[in-house]
Amino acid sequence: MTYSDKILSRSIDPAVHEMLARAEELGIGTAWDRYEAQLPQCGFGELGVCCRHCNMGPCRISPFDGEGPKVGVCGATADIIVARGLIRMIAAGAAAHSDHGRDIAHTLLLTAEGKSGGYQIKDEAKLKALATEYGIETEGRNTSEIAIDLAKAVYAEFGKQEGPIQFTRRAPEKRVTLWKKLGIDPRGIDREIVEIMHRTHIGVDNDPVHLILHGLRTAVSDGWGGSMVATELSDILFGAPAPQRSVANLGVLKADHVNIILHGHEPTLSEMIVAAAEDPEMVALAEKYGAKGINVCGMCCTGNEILMRHGVPIAGNFLQQELAVITGAVDAMIVDVQCIMPALGSLTGCFHTKFISTSPKAKFPGAVHMEFNEEHAAEIAKDIVKVSVENFRFRKPEMVHIPDERMECMAGFSVEAIVDALGGTLDPLLDAIKGGAIKGIGALVGCNNIKIPHDESHVNLIRELIRNDVLVVTTGCNAIAAAKAGLLLPEAAAECGEGLKGVCKALGIPPALHMGSCVDISRILVVCSAIANALGVDISDLPAAGAAPEWMSEKAVSIGAYVVASGVFTVLGTVPQILGSPVVTELLTKTANDVVGAVFAVETDPSKAARLMIDHIEAKRTALGI
Ligand code: BF8
Ligand code: SF4
């Protein structure tokens, strides 16, 4: 099949090409068409120099020398407006991750109290280890008692007025001392987010550097707080992930099965749906309607969660959500929160697909709302699966078009799993880094962004890094792109430089390790911290670099901010809306180095981005004398 240049320019994924052609054939528009309709996008917005923080505005600052206003009605400059806008993005992103963490803490508490509907504590060893970290007595106490105390202690992190947030103390001592010195050691998670909203109200904090520093403090409360809570407590409830083989891309949908897609973020829902779909009663119902079985597939980060823990196939990443529906084979698209396009409402209206929203926090036009709660989780999950299975009857075979594109992958490299793969300690990894077989670590994360070809930067950047002996750890939509490209297989070692190839072959691991969903970037922080501690240095001294090659969400802004605040140089592959402020741009791309020991770079070309990361890694190696 040959495709138009327009289609080929939108993605590197053949499944996407095929489905975009199908969409054209059906006369259906997608995010790519809506993006084109938006062009040209607002130049003031692109530079971050418009403000709507009060009703004397909207105000906008002219970027042209000598022409147009240089201040808003209140006197806010471009620097103030950009800094305020940026940290409001951090507030939203940190809120999203942390509210997810809060829900998991709530589920753990209900489960420990015997009030949740169907959850169990799967990882008692992790429960005890975390309880000990929190100073909770474990000797002679039963699981529920320990879990109640831990859940309450973790729950309290959100509403705390004074710090520290316990997990921040996992960072190397030097880092914590630096955070304290800079005044960015976070207090309570909610407190920091609220303070961003307060400081960015008209007439409060009008010092761009002071604003950004508080943005970093809030971001740290996300990465080492809310996100880490989400990850760690999910492991207690659902088990710490271990390497699993599975399959990725839209070809995981099956024409002869009921297809259920789980899209969103919180494993509290997806875990229960996966279990309910295995219920013999539901399977029998599917067979009654003529299906061969129930095929549950994931999408986006909740897909990553169930891929890592159960090997559930993953249908795709962010920009594939509409394309999944256009296959005509999805009987239900079940969603909770985050990264779910409202466009799915009208789109599912063109097909038989049931679009089912479940979160008390998130409703969508065109969706059926079946509200989920943890107290009756198993029951509700079964109802949702039943509705999905019953919808199979209405599938129109002539509308079914599933691309024959699927790729094997290996996912589930939690910190515990990495340590296991290394034979019980991180030493072999340290030795490989010191000896130079592995030059360093590249942490690749983040979304898809319609502004650049889907998956192209993700995949090219990973290829370039592994070719240069940089071990890649990946999460979120980057991990899904890697899975589809075959880079999460031990066989991908063939694409590596000689050093990394040898390590992958000896350990039987892929050169890109799938560490989970976006909240699981906290796992990357834990690994970095462990390596830094083993070497007796700070995270900023490590031969490590981060990248968000196709980022788009506010969550990604918070991630970038806490990764840099943790000392990791980070390359952004899409341009942030800050360039209208010389002060903020200079701070984030240059002076931050003197403050937190790391900066951002913006580089849209993946081979140049790889070069920046490799140069950084080489420089850190030299400084460490390795
Ligand atoms: O939390 S990488 S598009 S799905 S925001 Fe969203 Fe971005 Fe994907 Fe996961 Ni993360
Ligand atoms: Fe304009 Fe200032 Fe109001 Fe923003 S806060 S809209 S810059 S007057």
Side-chain angles (χ1 to χ4, degrees), residues 324-407:
V325 174
I326 297 170
T327 64
V330 177
D331 301 295
M333 173 74 91
I334 303 168
V335 303
D336 56 8
V337 289
Q338 299 169 19
C339 305
I340 299 144
M341 291 190 187
L344 290 178
S346 53
L347 178 65
T348 49
C350 305
F351 294 85
H352 81 296
T353 307
K354 268 228 181 340
F355 178 28
I356 305 176
S357 57
T358 60
S359 167
K361 294 169 200 162
K363 291 195 170 185
F364 296 82
V368 188
H369 192 68
M370 296 182 75
E371 197 156 304
F372 185 76
N373 67 58
E374 290 76 8
E375 287 90 336
H376 304 101
E379 243 169 88
I380 301 170
K382 197 165 162 185
D383 283 348
I384 295 174
V385 170
K386 187 156 180 255
V387 167
S388 312
V389 169
E390 283 173 340
N391 198 36
F392 179 78
R393 286 176 290 173
F394 303 110
R395 195 191 287 177
K396 300 185 189 79
E398 72 280 9
M399 291 298 285
V400 173
H401 183 116
I402 304 172
D404 191 19
E405 294 291 340
R406 66 190 79 74
M407 179 59 80

Side-chain angles (χ1 to χ4, degrees), residues 262-265 298-305 314-321 338-340 448 476-477 480 517:
L262 285 164
H263 174 23
H265 282 77
M299 181 145 258
C300 290
C301 280
T302 211
N304 280 324
E305 300 270 359
I314 192 150
N317 49 11
F318 177 69
L319 279 177
Q320 287 177 285
Q321 53 188 294
Q338 299 169 19
C339 305
I340 299 144
N448 295 134
C477 288
I480 304 170
S517 61

Side-chain angles (χ1 to χ4, degrees), residues 75-338:
T77 58
D79 294 323
I80 294 170
I81 291 174
V82 166
R84 287 196 307 211
L86 180 70
I87 76 168
R88 276 209 177 176
M89 292 184 89
I90 293 179
H97 283 145
S98 300
D99 214 30
H100 166 174
R102 185 199 322 268
D103 282 349
I104 307 280
H106 178 64
T107 309
L108 178 64
L109 183 59
L110 288 175
T111 304
E113 291 175 341
K115 292 182 195 157
S116 78
Y119 299 98
Q120 286 158 13
I121 288 172
K122 291 238 175 84
D123 193 338
E124 291 196 21
K126 189 146 191 177
L127 170 71
K128 286 199 179 139
L130 293 182
T132 307
E133 200 173 338
Y134 263 87
I136 294 164
E137 185 58 59
T138 57
E139 273 304 304
R141 305 182 72 205
N142 68 33
T143 306
S144 306
E145 288 168 339
I146 301 169
I148 288 173
D149 282 359
L150 179 67
K152 284 187 176 164
V154 171
Y155 222 1
E157 301 283 21
F158 295 90
K160 247 182 194 170
Q161 300 311 313
E162 294 304 328
I165 296 168
Q166 185 60 42
F167 287 147
T168 57
R169 296 313 187 245
R170 292 175 164 190
E173 223 174 289
K174 281 188 186 161
R175 188 58 29 189
V176 174
T177 308
L178 179 64
W179 287 339
K180 284 187 189 160
K181 191 178 117 211
L182 295 170
I184 63 167
D185 183 27
R187 298 156 297 179
I189 298 163
D190 294 351
R191 176 170 187 178
E192 306 308 356
I193 295 167
V194 166
E195 195 170 309
I196 285 188
M197 298 314 285
H198 179 190
R199 287 203 200 191
T200 56
H201 183 276
I202 180 176
V204 186
D205 193 357
N206 288 287
D207 177 333
V209 176
H210 195 232
L211 282 159
I212 297 290
L213 278 173
H214 180 63
L216 296 184
R217 167 157 60 178
T218 308
V220 171
S221 84
D222 171 1
W224 298 85
S227 283
M228 208 169 273
V229 164
T231 296
E232 297 291 34
L233 300 199
S234 292
D235 284 356
I236 292 178
L237 284 166
F238 312 122
Q244 322 249 354
R245 284 263 179 175
S246 190
V247 199
N249 216 341
L250 290 168
V252 300
L253 296 169
K254 294 179 179 168
D256 53 6
H257 279 60
V258 171
N259 290 307
I260 296 178
I261 291 198
L262 285 164
H263 174 23
H265 282 77
E266 298 189 359
T268 34
L269 171 74
S270 53
E271 282 278 333
M272 282 294 162
I273 300 279
V274 169
E278 285 165 3
D279 186 323
E281 198 189 317
M282 291 297 114
V283 178
L285 188 66
E287 285 165 0
K288 185 180 131 193
Y289 292 126
K292 289 222 169 93
I294 305 174
N295 180 36
V296 177
C297 305
M299 181 145 258
C300 290
C301 280
T302 211
N304 280 324
E305 300 270 359
I306 48 181
L307 166 67
M308 285 200 302
R309 294 200 177 88
H310 304 288
V312 170
I314 192 150
N317 49 11
F318 177 69
L319 279 177
Q320 287 177 285
Q321 53 188 294
E322 293 178 276
L323 307 180
V325 174
I326 297 170
T327 64
V330 177
D331 301 295
M333 173 74 91
I334 303 168
V335 303
D336 56 8
V337 289
Q338 299 169 19

